[in-house]
């Protein structure tokens, strides 16, 4: 990945529909490999356009742009990172790590640690980034199906809280 070719910027209200569409597309294409349909639907409802718009209004959503094309997104609210997605066609090229690095740096300006929720398939990815599971959780969805996930935390570099 050439960092010069991408822009990582705060999303505006006019981007909410596009970001929600990116998330929905990614969830519908990737998650069925790991999850039952009820869980896929729950993720989609959790990250619908209204939810994205609410986070945009809080100035917490970012987009990763390659030229004029939105290829990824991430949300950072205080010490909490969520909704990190990269379009399937662009996965495996370092864009997700790039988004995480930017969101972690943003959190490090004010916080000594950052937290996120991770599905079991994603835990290994986050462990490689220095995250550790601090608790296990469950979310009942439809038809008696339960999503099991981890709350993970990463200690941030003390010096980074005072850097640019």
């Amino acid at each position: 990945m050439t960092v010069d070719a991408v822009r990582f910027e705060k999303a505006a209200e006019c981007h909410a529909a596009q970001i929600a569409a990116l998330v929905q597309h990614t969830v519908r294409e990737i998650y069925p490999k790991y999850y039952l349909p009820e869980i896929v639907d729950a993720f989609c409802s959790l990250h619908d356009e209204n939810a994205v718009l609410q986070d945009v209004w809080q100035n917490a959503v970012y987009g990763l742009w390659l030229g004029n094309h939105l290829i990824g997104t991430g949300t950072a609210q205080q010490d909490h990172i969520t909704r990190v997605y990269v379009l399937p066609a662009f996965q495996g090229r370092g864009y997700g790590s790039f988004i995480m690095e930017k969101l972690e740096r943003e959190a490090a300006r004010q916080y000594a640690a950052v937290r996120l929720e991770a599905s079991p398939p994603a835990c290994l990815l986050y462990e490689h980034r220095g995250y550790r599971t601090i608790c296990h959780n469950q979310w009942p969805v439809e038809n008696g199906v339960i999503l099991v996930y981890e709350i993970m935390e990463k200690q941030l570099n003390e010096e980074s809280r005072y850097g640019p």
Side-chain angles (χ1 to χ4, degrees):
M1 174 187 69
T2 58
V3 176
D4 296 336
V6 297
R7 294 184 333 275
F8 188 72
E9 301 173 343
K10 287 227 174 159
E13 191 172 320
C14 64
H15 299 128
Q18 192 176 8
I19 288 170
L22 179 147
V23 173
Q24 300 293 314
H25 172 76
T26 304
V27 167
R28 295 258 180 234
E29 187 169 322
I30 302 298
Y31 282 31
K33 297 173 187 173
Y34 304 100
Y35 298 115
L36 294 169
E38 291 88 350
I39 293 175
V40 173
D41 291 343
F43 272 108
C44 286
S45 67
L46 186 63
H47 299 296
D48 66 8
E49 185 176 347
N50 186 52
V52 172
L53 191 55
Q54 295 293 320
D55 291 341
V56 167
W57 289 338
Q58 292 182 18
N59 207 28
V61 180
Y62 295 82
L64 182 67
W65 301 86
L66 181 59
N68 292 325
H69 303 286
L70 179 70
I71 63 165
T73 188
T75 300
Q77 294 176 316
Q78 294 139 2
D79 65 343
H80 184 230
I81 292 175
T82 188
R83 200 182 294 119
V84 176
Y85 289 95
V86 175
L87 283 172
F90 293 91
Q91 291 180 5
R93 300 182 193 179
Y95 293 121
S97 294
F98 180 78
I99 291 170
M100 286 299 298
E101 178 65 29
K102 294 289 190 176
L103 295 176
E104 289 167 359
R105 281 188 192 173
E106 184 65 28
R109 292 175 190 225
Q110 296 179 5
Y111 300 96
V114 66
R115 290 187 178 185
L116 52 77
E117 291 87 20
S119 60
C123 286
L124 189 57
L125 166 83
Y126 291 121
E127 285 176 359
H128 282 106
R129 292 198 58 76
Y131 287 82
R132 297 293 169 247
T133 298
I134 58 173
C135 72
H136 309 281
N137 230 336
Q138 296 181 359
W139 179 32
V141 295
E142 293 181 354
N143 302 325
V145 174
I146 298 173
L147 169 64
V148 176
Y149 64 97
E150 311 297 308
I151 306 293
M152 300 184 83
E153 182 177 75
K154 179 179 181 177
Q155 296 300 313
L156 300 170
N157 186 344
E158 232 3 81
E159 302 88 56
S160 67
R161 291 193 304 159
Y162 308 105

